[in-house]
Amino acid sequence: VVGRRLTEHRGQEARMRAEAESGQRTLALRRGHLVRTGWRGKLSDWTRPTLGRKLSLLTLGLAFGVQFLESATEGMPEWVHLAAFAVTAVVSLVAAAFIKRMLVAPVEQVLAFANRMAAGDLSARLESDRSDEIGELIRALNQLSVNLRAAVTDVRHEVDGVQVASGEIAGGNQDLSARTEAQASSLEE
């Protein structure tokens, strides 16, 4: 999966460079994604299935469904109202399961990933093909992990350099001390 994405990104990067050189830009990089500019980009942004839009559509669907059942059962016997209530309850449970699958489970997964990073495991990586806010959060956390790993590696490298330099200074101090003692001994004689 990573190799395929890397090849994809390199192709997109080459396409962006060619557009920049030609002066005709139809692509831009936003939030780590290659997106179209102009009216096609705005249309794509508007039709992108964000989490908020998904939840809004689900809520509207439930509201219309309840309204439809209410108007359809008006003036009917009580058992019809009870059946409509049962249908509404089942649809609500299905909607709750959908919300859990769409929102809660991914957030729990991202939280577990963030906790692993907080515990010091910077080798972890979370894969996602999502294009909504959860996907953006996952990509941002993956980039944060990479950046932290690079910073830790740089610090370790610098610490090694400081240790070597301090060892050289200590050796130089000992050499200087030995020479000073030798000079003091020769002066006493």
Side-chain angles (χ1 to χ4, degrees), residues 58-167:
L58 182 63
T59 304
L60 280 173
L62 285 174
F64 284 131
V66 167
Q67 186 65 35
F68 173 76
L69 282 175
E70 185 179 309
S71 64
T73 60
E74 192 175 317
M76 300 249 176
E78 188 173 328
W79 68 269
V80 174
H81 289 282
L82 290 173
F85 175 75
V87 167
T88 303
V90 168
V91 168
S92 296
L93 289 173
V94 168
F98 178 73
I99 289 172
K100 180 173 171 112
R101 193 182 116 253
M102 180 178 67
L103 183 62
V104 176
V107 167
E108 288 173 346
Q109 192 179 24
V110 168
L111 181 62
F113 175 66
N115 284 332
R116 283 178 64 188
M117 283 178 45
D121 181 6
L122 299 178
S123 64
R125 182 158 180 80
L126 194 57
E127 294 297 326
S128 175
D129 290 334
R130 294 178 68 129
S131 61
D132 59 7
E133 294 86 350
I134 299 286
E136 287 182 24
L137 178 61
I138 289 170
R139 283 186 294 283
L141 284 174
N142 279 331
Q143 188 60 51
L144 176 64
S145 177
V146 167
N147 293 350
L148 284 173
R149 198 173 328 136
V152 167
T153 301
D154 289 348
V155 167
R156 283 185 183 152
H157 178 71
E158 293 302 319
V159 165
D160 290 343
V162 168
Q163 284 176 337
V164 168
S166 65

Side-chain angles (χ1 to χ4, degrees), residues 12 21 38 72 75 150 158 165 172:
Q12 291 171 343
E21 289 171 4
E158 293 302 319

